[in-house]
Amino acid sequence: MAEAITKKSRFPKSIPYIIGNEAAERFSFYGMKTLLATFFVHQFLMSDAQSNAKTHLFISITYLMSILGGVLADWYLGKYKTIFWLSLLYCVGHAFLSAFDTQLNLFMLGLLFITIGAGGIKPCVSANVGDQFDHTNQDLISKMFNWFYFAINAGSTVSTLLTPILMLEYGASVAFGVPGILMALATFVFWLGRKKYVYVPPSGYVAANFIAINFYALFNPSKKKEKGESWLDAAKTKFSDESVENMKAVWSALAVFAFFPIFWALYDQNGSEWVLQATKMNLHFMGYTWLPEQIQAINPILILAFIPLFSYLIYPAVEKLGIKVTPLRKIGAGLVVMAITFMVIASIQTKIDAGGQPNIVWQLLAYTLLTASEIMVSITGLEYAYTQAPKSMKSTIMAFFLATVFVGDMFDTLVNMSVSKTGWLSSFADAKGMENAKFYWFFFIILSAFTLLFIIVSKNIKEKSYLIDDPNLVPAEIDSAEHH
């Protein structure tokens, strides 16, 4: 009797189009974003505070728009149409930036279009990646999200280095125009793959939605709670058992997401507070005196190296030691590494406060740890947001995950406002407004507390993967007319 041959898992044919689209889109976004803060100051004569406020507001609204995109995709348009149509609006936004670089109101209108486009497609693109897999190749999902993240950072690395040079050599119209061209290319590449995608149709407005089920369970608990039942089980008197069980899965995911805002609050300081810290350090390293703004480029460069390192070496090595590498363990380890990162940053600042001038190599160490933490927390979060969400809520749950960035950035904003306006955290800055070591130790303490709580809570979180495994959901090359 012949032995059965195990068929090797393969990546879906749609993946190259998704990766190409993501790389070009991220080039467009980060290339434009890199220019904003200094452009507001130089072109529209804003103060540093005004410029920072508008830049942070732009990022915040972008991540809030991910909720809109998630609802549109899950309930009404489906992921493909949501991505395609919002990408076109995204392109219009870039065109406004390039054409109206001297007219503030129209320039801001362009940014608004970009917030809707970029924010709206965020949860859909990530969820669309997961939709391409089923139980025959689910073992490749983790590697796929790693390469997805690789594409993000490849695009952002190139654009972060290139667009400032374009601004210097050719002016704002070209510097903002090139990212616009890349966004148009991203949209075209996405359209080219339309016959390769697995399409998950929108569910339409679902009466058994997140708000309805939770509201009913809270205010109509007529069902007597049995031992071992959840408070959500009260909703089973009106909604199906499956809907209520799906809601439990959502809350499990949200319990994990609750720990992400503090991660982003610390992570996003590398593009602002850390740059200012670098201005007080010895920037001579490897025979070259670096600019303070150049140091942050090490993050996306390290990501490109760390993704295959973690995926093909570190995680397998840990598994060989008998330690199962689960998403929750990755996230917990990443939070611990981020805490160590801020111990390094706070120690650097302590030396600066004492009148020293430590070499920039110490901040490079912090960037290395920061990147390792990002690999374990952010990439895993993308994967977790998809696999732990029921089919009808995948884009919506991805939107909740992305919204954690908004919460983290807003926390940073409130802390900095208190520091700058002689609030109760004013002791965290010196006479010139530069954050001192207390500022960084403050964030270290908060993260440490959250990390300890996560370790405790994660032991009680049950993981259940919801993967698309429906024979009716086939690549569009078989029948794609309805999706054109």
Side-chain angles (χ1 to χ4, degrees), residues 314-337:
I314 294 178
Y315 291 152
V318 173
E319 290 273 7
K320 287 182 179 179
L321 293 175
I323 303 173
K324 185 172 178 59
V325 178
T326 66
L328 293 180
R329 286 178 177 174
K330 289 181 187 178
I331 294 169
L335 293 175
V336 171
V337 173

Side-chain angles (χ1 to χ4, degrees), residues 276 280 416 419-420 426 428-436:
L276 296 176
K280 293 190 174 184
N416 278 289
V419 171
S420 63
S426 59
F428 290 177
D430 59 22
K432 296 181 180 180
M434 169 65 82
E435 287 90 352
N436 55 34

Side-chain angles (χ1 to χ4, degrees), residues 35-44 101-102 107 167 172 176:
L35 304 172
L36 281 184
T38 54
F39 184 72
F40 280 137
V41 172
H42 296 148
Q43 182 66 32
F44 298 118
D101 58 294
T102 60
F107 187 86
M167 177 69 81
F176 284 113

Side-chain angles (χ1 to χ4, degrees), residues 115-419:
T115 61
I116 298 172
I121 70 173
K122 272 181 177 294
C124 309
V125 172
S126 301
N128 190 47
V129 172
D131 283 353
Q132 308 309 304
F133 294 82
D134 57 29
H135 288 284
T136 66
N137 56 5
Q138 62 176 313
D139 57 303
L140 296 175
I141 286 183
S142 183
K143 286 185 173 63
M144 177 57 228
F145 274 105
N146 281 339
W147 287 114
F148 181 74
Y149 214 73
F150 187 96
I152 291 174
N153 287 279
S156 64
T157 298
V158 175
S159 63
T160 300
L161 294 173
L162 178 61
T163 53
I165 297 175
L166 294 177
M167 177 69 81
L168 181 64
E169 298 292 334
Y170 302 103
S173 183
V174 172
F176 284 113
V178 170
I181 292 173
L182 264 293
M183 186 58 221
L185 176 62
T187 306
F188 179 65
V189 169
F190 181 72
W191 177 81
L192 284 178
R194 66 195 183 282
K195 294 185 179 181
K196 303 292 184 181
Y197 303 129
V198 169
Y199 291 90
V200 178
S203 60
Y205 174 78
V206 181
N209 59 60
F210 181 85
I211 296 176
I213 292 177
N214 283 279
F215 187 87
Y216 187 86
L218 281 173
F219 297 103
N220 296 279
S222 57
K223 180 179 181 297
K224 185 177 179 181
K225 184 177 178 181
E226 303 293 337
K227 184 178 180 180
E229 283 192 329
S230 163
W231 62 275
L232 282 166
D233 286 310
K236 289 182 177 179
T237 58
K238 180 177 181 180
F239 301 97
S240 70
D241 288 1
E242 181 183 3
S243 296
V244 175
E245 291 303 316
N246 284 347
M247 201 54 54
K248 292 178 183 179
V250 171
W251 274 109
S252 292
L254 293 180
V256 176
F257 294 169
F259 295 89
F260 277 70
I262 189 61
F263 167 81
W264 292 118
L266 275 69
Y267 175 85
D268 283 343
Q269 291 182 32
N270 82 86
S272 49
E273 283 86 351
W274 290 23
V275 176
L276 296 176
Q277 184 186 71
T279 64
K280 293 190 174 184
M281 300 179 70
N282 177 4
L283 295 167
H284 191 76
F285 177 65
M286 296 183 67
Y288 180 79
T289 301
W290 301 84
L291 296 173
E293 297 83 1
Q294 290 179 311
I295 307 303
Q296 60 185 313
I298 194 65
N299 173 243
I301 293 173
L302 283 175
I303 285 176
L304 298 179
F306 278 16
I307 285 178
L309 177 66
F310 274 77
S311 183
Y312 296 105
L313 184 61
I314 294 178
Y315 291 152
V318 173
E319 290 273 7
K320 287 182 179 179
L321 293 175
I323 303 173
K324 185 172 178 59
V325 178
T326 66
L328 293 180
R329 286 178 177 174
K330 289 181 187 178
I331 294 169
L335 293 175
V336 171
V337 173
M338 180 61 84
I340 297 173
T341 301
F342 263 65
M343 288 179 66
V344 174
I345 287 295
S347 298
I348 292 172
Q349 191 62 46
T350 299
K351 294 179 180 178
I352 293 174
D353 294 344
Q357 192 179 34
N359 192 276
I360 195 63
V361 69
W362 290 105
Q363 204 178 74
L364 293 178
L365 170 61
Y367 271 105
T368 302
L369 293 169
L370 177 91
T371 305
S373 176
E374 181 180 2
I375 295 293
M376 289 184 280
V377 177
S378 184
I379 294 180
T380 306
L382 283 174
E383 177 187 348
Y384 193 88
Y386 180 82
T387 61
Q388 301 300 306
K391 183 180 71 173
S392 64
M393 297 190 68
K394 289 193 179 295
S395 291
T396 304
I397 296 305
M398 190 66 73
F400 278 126
F401 168 71
L402 294 170
T404 63
V405 181
F406 164 77
V407 177
D409 280 340
M410 285 304 299
F411 181 68
D412 278 342
T413 300
L414 294 173
V415 170
N416 278 289
M417 287 177 61
S418 180
V419 171

